């Protein structure tokens, strides 16, 4: 037996040592790009090269695992993010010198001395970087359609390519149907690859320089410095401007090119480390492969930046650019849209209440409320941004994130019934407090090393305000160095801040444990207080009214910085962590008025004790604070002119920016929304 065991062991060792080192399979689309890639692989053997005929073939190969990565422009980031491919951007090109610049301008370049403006382009000859590319197609054609310069009623009328072909005399649009007017000016095979000489930025500019076209749609860095004096930009106001005036004379600002890959954190890590580990090879130069340019990366790239985790194509491109692409790719929806607003609920209990609301909102066979649901508030905010949902009520910390992502506060909860009928614009607010058991003898100065109960990560009273205070005190972003353990729903599993969470109470297979939804029994105000009362924690961070409404109020005390002793719960105005704004309904700016109109109507029907008893908007049957706070007396309109910063107030904004010194406290959604701002200002 022993020799057999030895043979088996040696066989295992041989297979271990023979297993290949993980390689990054980079996808390329031309012979020149393949040459550069193989030279890179010689300098950095972690790379291997996969040649395909087009970007789409590369996307398909990455999806199938035959390749791992390729750098593409925004239009292709959109395509790669579609459900059938499900790829995501992981790294972005940075074109900035001193400060990061992960955006570029789409411009229309013409020869100086030609006498026409942007509104005179009909019948002219056009040069484009490629079909579906940002600066060369999506932005200029989307802009010309939205300005009414190109007449197009939508896909149900005719394809947009046909409308463009009718508008221009002839064009070179690499990737268009061969033999069509859109390929007429091309000097090669009209493919969307470097085998077409007029492909990409340099190719489209060459098309103009050669006199083949009258206008080239490119990015602002395309025209060489030595040539700038011979060319001008077409501005949206029908004037012209010098090449370097792109900031005031462009067709739009779009995100930089990005490296896309599969949704695999380990693969993303490998790609990032491999690219950064390259030495003795200039990744951002195509000089050795002239006349080709922009091989593998744009030649204007200064460095690469890693995108925040969970950034998808929508978050990377932004709502404005996504809307432009969709308007060119999708059919215009015929007929009137649904009159209902889609409310987003988090978890089973909220979804159940929302469904009841929806049923009760039906009048004349039409519902005013439809329900969508998601596992977390941030997922709901994403749905609202994508127009898959329309509105939800969130706390101040989440209003902050929503505002960073382009949403606006439309209505605010009012907790004082006397102010519901008041014409004064006096928004509700509440006090964030730290509550302990009277018997514990704890004070703020003796909190270190204790267990903490939080309403949820990123929530105002339960996380942002208390952790902001602790950071101010310790300058330490690792809060596990302050509290020994706790329950902060929304924390990463297997961290100290999930240790004390209860879940849904199921004996086995409890997926709700530490989730930021009502399915976690220690989530929210009532949940955090329950965590304290059930001795899962030593301190709970909640709002003042949560303590006052508890049957245990006489056995609870408040603690706060600067006070040596605890105080009764009724002394919240003297002992609190901050006065913070009430919860608000957030939505997209363009549907704000409709959301306000429907909610005012709904609270008339279901918002008071005298209203329809079959459903009560501000009452929760199977939980606490579902959809709205149970202490809400009414919803009041937030002025349309009020920004999220003004709504939250200076004190709150200062607290949030202080806490954001700790990068771990920034939600992934907020990181993605604030990574770059390429939307039209």
């Amino acid at each position: 037996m022993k020799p057999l065991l030895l043979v088996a062991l040696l066989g295992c060792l041989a297979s271990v040592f023979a297993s290949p080192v993980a390689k990054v399979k980079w996808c390329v689309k031309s012979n020149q790009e393949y040459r550069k890639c193989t030279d890179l692989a010689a300098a950095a053997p972690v790379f291997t090269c996969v040649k395909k005929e087009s970007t789409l073939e590369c996307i398909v190969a990455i999806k199938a695992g035959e390749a791992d990565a390729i750098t593409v422009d925004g239009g292709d980031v959109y395509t790669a993010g579609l459900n059938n491919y499900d790829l995501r951007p992981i790294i972005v090109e940075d074109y900035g010198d001193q400060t990061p610049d992960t955006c570029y301008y789409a411009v229309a370049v013409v020869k100086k001395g030609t006498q026409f403006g942007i509104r005179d382009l009909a019948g002219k000859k056009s040069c484009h970087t490629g079909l579906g590319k940002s600066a060369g197609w999506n932005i200029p054609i989307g802009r010309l359609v939205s300005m009414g310069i190109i007449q197009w009623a939508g896909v149900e009328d005719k394809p947009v390519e046909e409308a463009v072909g009718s508008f221009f005399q002839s064009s070179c649009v690499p990737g268009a149907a061969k033999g069509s007017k859109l390929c007429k000016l091309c000097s090669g095979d009209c493919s969307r690859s470097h085998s077409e000489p007029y492909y990409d930025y340099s190719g489209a500019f060459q098309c103009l320089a050669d006199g083949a076209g009258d206008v080239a749609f490119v990015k602002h860095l395309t025209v060489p410095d030595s040539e700038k004096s011979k060319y001008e930009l077409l501005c949206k106001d029908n004037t012209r401007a010098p090449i370097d005036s792109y900031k005031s004379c462009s067709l739009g600002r779009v995100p930089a090119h990005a490296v896309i890959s599969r949704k695999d954190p380990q693969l993303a890590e490998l790609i990032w480390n491999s690219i950064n580990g390259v030495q003795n090879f200039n990744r951002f130069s195509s000089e050795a492969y002239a006349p080709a340019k922009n091989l593998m990366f744009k030649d204007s790239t200064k460095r690469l930046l890693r995108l925040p985790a969970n950034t998808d194509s929508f978050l990377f491109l932004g709502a404005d650019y996504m809307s432009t692409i969709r308007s060119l790719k999708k059919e215009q929806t015929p007929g009137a849209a649904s009159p209902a607003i889609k409310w987003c609920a988090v978890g089973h209990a909220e979804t159940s209440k929302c469904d009841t609301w929806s049923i009760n909102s039906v009048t004349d066979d039409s519902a005013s409320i439809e329900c969508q649901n998601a596992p977390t508030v941030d997922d709901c905010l994403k749905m609202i941004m994508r127009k898959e949902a329309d509105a939800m009520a969130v706390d101040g910390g989440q209003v902050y994130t929503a505002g960073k992502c382009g949403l606006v506060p439309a209505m605010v909860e009012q907790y004082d019934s006397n102010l519901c009928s008041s014409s004064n614009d006096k928004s509700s607010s509440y006090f964030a407090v730290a509550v302990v058991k009277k018997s514990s003898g704890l004070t703020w100065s003796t909190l270190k090393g204790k267990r903490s109960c939080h309403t949820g990560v990123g929530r105002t009273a339960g996380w942002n305000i208390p952790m902001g205070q602790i950071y101010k005190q310790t300058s330490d972003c690792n809060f596990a160095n302050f509290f020994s353990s706790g329950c902060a729903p929304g924390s990463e599993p297997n961290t100290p801040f999930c240790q004390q969470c209860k879940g849904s109470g199921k004996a086995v297979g409890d997926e709700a444990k530490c989730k930021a939804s009502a399915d976690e029994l220690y989530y929210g105000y009532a949940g955090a207080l329950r965590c304290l009362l059930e001795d899962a924690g030593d301190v709970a961070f909640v709002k003042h009214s949560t303590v006052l409404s508890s049957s245990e109020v006489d056995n609870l005390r408040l603690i706060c910085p600067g006070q040596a002793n605890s105080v009764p719960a009724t002394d919240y105005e003297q002992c609190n962590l901050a006065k913070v704004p009430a919860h608000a309904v957030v939505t997209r700016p363009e549907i704000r008025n409709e959301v306000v109109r429907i909610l005012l109507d709904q609270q008339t029907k279901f918002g008071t004790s005298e209203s329809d008893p079959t459903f009560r908007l501000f009452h929760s049957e199977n939980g606490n604070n579902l959809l709205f706070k149970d202490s809400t007396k009414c919803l009041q309109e937030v002025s349309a002119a009020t920004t999220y910063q003004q709504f939250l107030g200076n004190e709150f904004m200062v607290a949030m920016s202080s806490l954001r010194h700790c990068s771990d406290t920034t939600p992934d959604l907020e990181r993605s929304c604030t990574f770059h701002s390429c939307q039209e200002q």
Side-chain angles (χ1 to χ4, degrees):
M1 291 295 288
K2 284 182 181 177
L4 286 175
L5 282 172
L6 183 60
V7 169
L9 179 60
L10 288 171
C12 288
L13 287 170
S15 67
V16 167
F17 287 117
S19 62
V21 177
K23 294 247 185 191
V24 175
K25 302 186 289 289
W26 204 274
C27 201
V28 297
K29 305 173 297 179
S30 68
N31 291 332
Q32 303 99 308
E33 209 165 39
Y34 186 74
R35 273 180 56 211
K36 180 175 177 179
C37 184
T38 52
D39 289 348
L40 169 65
V46 70
F47 289 97
T48 184
C49 308
V50 178
K51 185 173 179 291
K52 297 293 178 182
E53 293 304 310
S54 67
T55 303
L56 187 59
E57 283 191 25
C58 279
I59 288 171
V60 171
I62 294 169
K63 166 71 174 173
E66 297 167 21
D68 297 323
I70 183 177
T71 309
V72 297
D73 95 323
D76 296 318
V77 170
Y78 170 84
T79 301
L82 296 173
N83 287 339
N84 42 334
Y85 306 119
D86 204 28
L87 306 183
R88 68 182 183 94
I90 58 171
I91 296 165
V92 64
E93 294 179 345
D94 177 8
Y95 311 124
D97 288 315
Q98 274 75 44
T99 56
D101 184 3
T102 56
C103 309
Y104 62 88
Y105 293 86
V107 294
V109 178
V110 292
K111 285 183 176 175
K112 193 178 279 188
T114 50
Q115 302 297 315
F116 59 87
I118 198 167
R119 292 194 172 275
D120 310 311
L121 285 177
K124 298 291 188 291
K125 295 176 289 185
S126 60
C127 307
H128 306 255
T129 60
L131 186 69
K133 289 177 81 73
S134 297
W137 183 264
N138 293 336
I139 294 298
I141 301 307
R143 185 69 67 202
L144 292 172
V145 169
S146 67
M147 290 172 72
I149 297 170
I150 293 180
Q151 301 296 318
W152 182 57
V155 176
E156 70 278 4
D157 176 35
K158 59 186 169 190
V160 70
E161 292 92 332
E162 193 178 313
V164 175
S166 302
F167 179 77
F168 291 113
Q169 179 187 318
S170 54
S171 306
C172 177
V173 186
K178 291 177 171 62
S180 71
K181 280 179 72 179
L182 298 184
C183 281
K184 194 172 179 184
L185 294 184
C186 293
S187 67
D189 60 3
C190 195
S191 68
R192 230 185 70 150
S193 77
H194 291 99
S195 59
E196 165 53 60
Y198 288 167
Y199 168 68
D200 207 4
Y201 302 113
S202 55
F205 176 66
Q206 196 61 48
C207 166
L208 173 66
D210 288 350
D214 303 310
V215 59
F217 297 109
V218 292
K219 72 172 182 177
H220 70 286
L221 298 170
T222 303
V223 182
D225 289 343
S226 60
E227 298 285 301
K228 285 180 179 177
S229 62
K230 303 175 189 172
Y231 296 91
E232 291 178 314
L233 302 178
L234 298 183
C235 309
K236 288 181 287 189
D237 64 1
N238 214 39
T239 63
R240 290 186 172 206
I243 292 295
D244 286 331
S245 298
Y246 52 82
K247 287 187 179 177
S248 58
C249 178
S250 77
L251 303 180
R253 200 164 181 226
V254 293
H257 290 212
V259 176
I260 54 170
S261 188
R262 295 181 295 282
K263 292 180 177 175
D264 178 340
Q266 281 76 35
L267 178 59
E269 188 77 17
L270 174 65
I271 294 168
W272 173 250
N273 291 335
S274 300
I275 290 177
N276 277 335
V278 173
Q279 294 177 343
N280 306 318
F281 186 86
N282 189 344
R283 299 159 296 171
F284 311 132
S285 172
S286 305
E287 247 183 277
Y289 315 95
K293 295 182 179 177
N294 304 316
L295 302 177
M296 298 184 69
F297 301 98
K298 291 287 146 278
D299 295 341
S300 53
T301 305
K302 298 291 192 294
R303 67 194 67 79
L304 299 172
L305 298 175
R306 192 167 186 180
L307 287 165
N310 301 323
T311 299
D312 59 16
S313 58
F314 183 94
L315 293 172
F316 176 74
L317 295 171
D320 289 348
Y321 185 40
M322 288 294 285
S323 176
T324 299
I325 296 181
R326 285 170 173 165
S327 70
L328 296 178
K329 292 182 181 289
K330 294 177 82 171
E331 295 187 14
Q332 312 297 308
T333 308
S338 164
I341 58 171
K342 298 188 285 291
W343 200 265
C344 199
V346 177
H348 300 298
E350 281 206 344
T351 302
S352 176
K353 179 178 176 180
C354 189
D355 289 340
T356 306
W357 183 12
S358 179
I359 292 164
N360 281 276
S361 77
V362 174
T363 51
D364 301 326
D365 296 326
S366 176
S368 292
I369 301 294
E370 291 175 1
C371 299
Q372 298 288 346
N373 66 79
T376 68
V377 170
D378 279 5
D379 288 320
C380 268
L381 294 179
K382 282 187 198 176
M383 291 181 73
I384 296 170
M385 292 160 64
R386 295 171 198 268
K387 302 185 182 178
E388 295 165 2
D390 295 322
M392 73 181 304
V394 296
D395 97 325
Q398 292 153 343
V399 170
Y400 182 88
T401 295
K404 291 283 188 184
C405 292
L407 304 183
V408 295
M411 300 199 82
V412 60
E413 293 179 351
Q414 176 58 261
Y415 310 123
D416 185 341
S417 55
N418 296 322
L419 294 175
C420 282
S421 54
S422 165
S423 59
N424 293 339
D425 187 17
K426 189 174 179 185
S427 292
S428 251
S429 57
Y430 60 90
F431 292 91
V433 297
V435 56
V436 297
K437 289 180 181 175
K438 189 177 184 178
S439 57
S440 72
L442 276 176
T443 66
W444 187 267
S445 59
T446 59
L447 266 189
K448 191 167 186 221
K450 301 299 186 288
R451 301 164 301 157
S452 55
C453 302
H454 307 261
T455 58
V457 172
R459 300 273 305 255
T460 302
W463 185 266
N464 296 333
I465 297 300
M467 295 321 217
Q469 288 278 5
I470 288 165
Y471 173 75
K472 203 187 297 181
Q473 205 172 296
T474 63
S475 297
D476 184 356
C477 288
N478 185 357
F479 298 119
N481 289 336
F482 190 87
F483 292 113
S484 60
S485 63
C487 177
S491 296
E492 290 294 320
N494 307 319
T495 63
F497 288 106
C498 278
Q499 205 172 310
Q500 302 297 333
C501 290
K502 187 166 188 174
S504 63
K506 287 182 188 172
V508 290
D510 191 354
E511 293 180 1
K513 185 176 169 70
C514 202
K515 287 285 190 295
S517 83
D519 299 336
E520 161 59 64
L521 291 172
Y522 288 168
Y523 174 71
Y525 299 114
L529 189 61
R530 185 182 299 117
C531 165
L532 173 70
L533 294 173
E534 293 182 358
D535 203 32
D538 303 302
V539 59
F541 299 109
V542 292
K543 67 175 181 175
H544 71 281
S545 54
T546 307
V547 191
L548 295 177
S549 59
S550 169
S551 59
E552 294 288 320
V553 63
D554 292 338
N555 298 319
L556 299 171
R557 306 277 286 184
L558 304 183
I559 59 174
C560 53
Q563 292 206 18
N565 300 304
S566 61
V567 302
T570 49
D571 285 358
Y572 59 86
E573 289 197 41
Q574 281 69 50
C575 183
N576 62 72
L577 306 182
K579 188 177 182 181
V580 295
H583 290 210
V585 174
V586 293
T587 186
R588 298 184 302 282
E590 72 272 16
I591 58 162
R592 175 207 167 275
N593 293 349
E594 190 64 5
V595 168
V596 169
R597 182 187 68 76
I598 288 177
L599 286 179
L600 287 173
D601 173 65
Q602 290 297 295
Q603 79 170 357
T604 301
K605 293 174 179 170
F606 308 116
T608 66
S609 52
E610 296 83 43
S611 55
D612 191 330
T614 55
F615 176 72
R616 291 165 63 195
L617 201 54
F618 309 129
H619 175 74
S620 303
E621 291 286 346
N622 302 307
N624 299 96
N625 306 313
L626 303 177
L627 303 182
F628 301 97
K629 292 286 146 276
D630 294 340
S631 54
T632 305
K633 304 304 178 192
C634 67
L635 296 173
Q636 293 177 312
E637 183 176 354
V638 176
S639 164
T642 303
T643 64
Y644 80 95
Q645 296 100 323
Q646 291 167 331
F647 173 78
L648 292 172
N650 188 56
E651 183 185 8
F652 186 89
M653 291 297 294
V654 168
M656 287 301 294
S657 57
S658 168
L659 187 60
R660 288 299 185 255
H661 283 114
C662 301
S663 59
D664 286 351
T665 69
T666 307
D668 284 343
L669 173 61
E670 191 179 311
R671 288 181 210 223
S672 296
C673 289
T674 55
F675 185 80
H676 56 203
S677 52
C678 298
Q679 289 85 339
E680 281 289 285
Q681 298 302 311

